[in-house]
Amino acid sequence: MISVYYFGAIALVLIGLYAILVKKNLLKILIGLSIMETGVNLLLISIGYVSGRSAPILSEGIGPSQAVDPIPQALVLTAIVIGVATTAMALSVAMLIYEKYGTLNIEEIRRLRG
Amino acid sequence: MNGITFIEYLIVGLMVVSAILAVEWRDLLAAAVGMAAVSLFASLLFFMLQAPDVAMTEAAIGAALSAAVFIFAIKRTQRFETEEEEKPGWWVRW
């Protein structure tokens, strides 16, 4: 049986891909990119999950054999920071495009490029 | 189906529904709020997947900082998507 986490993560990736491919507004495309990145992070974390084990924090009574896989968590912690940096840079580029062309429609921007 | 499984299904369903609404709403401010809701439910799922550090980072960055940056960008640009329901002439979509 497929885990519900896999279903949710792949659904988020597909919804974000739909927004990137179909929508015309630049900010809506960036919202789709952010949703897609959240889906990829959720997929990575759910791959490392082992059912019935606890968080990988070594404390009283919890040894290394009773914790989930900590490597995807470190990977995702890096990927979240990279994602928010990418989103902030793309939003500043979108603001500069709006100041230069006065629109956010990507077809208009392609027509006005000159 | 026990209680934990039911809560997992409920949170995943809410997350997918808010992702669809964030993509489909034409008001970009509402879309940014929907994206923050997606990050919030993903943070709850990270906590249920035994990753509390990733859950804290996702709640702080995804739900708060990313939405704030989007709101600043929307304030500098325009709030609504341009829609063409008022039957423009053929030269508008050239």
Side-chain angles (χ1 to χ4, degrees), chain A residues 15-68:
Chain A
I15 290 166
L17 191 63
Y18 168 78
I20 290 173
L21 291 179
V22 171
K23 296 297 174 183
K24 297 289 194 299
N25 193 299
L26 202 53
L27 290 179
K28 187 59 76 68
I29 290 174
L30 291 179
I31 284 175
L33 191 69
S34 181
I35 287 174
M36 203 168 162
E37 179 227 327
T38 307
V40 171
N41 291 338
L42 189 59
L43 184 64
L44 281 174
I45 286 289
S46 62
I47 283 173
Y49 178 66
V50 183
S51 179
R53 295 192 183 181
S54 66
I57 302 168
L58 298 182
S59 63
E60 296 284 332
I62 295 175
S65 62
Q66 293 153 351
V68 299

Side-chain angles (χ1 to χ4, degrees), chain B residues 68-86:
Chain B
V69 171
F70 261 102
I71 286 169
F72 281 128
I74 290 167
K75 270 187 79 68
R76 289 282 296 273
T77 60
Q78 56 191 5
R79 179 173 167 180
F80 293 95
E81 288 188 46
T82 55
E83 45 204 271
E84 293 134 0
E85 273 126 14
E86 56 266 18

Side-chain angles (χ1 to χ4, degrees), chain B residues 9-10 15 19 32 39 50 75 79:
Chain B
Y9 275 69
L10 182 67
M15 187 179 70
S39 285
Q50 305 290 333
K75 270 187 79 68
R79 179 173 167 180

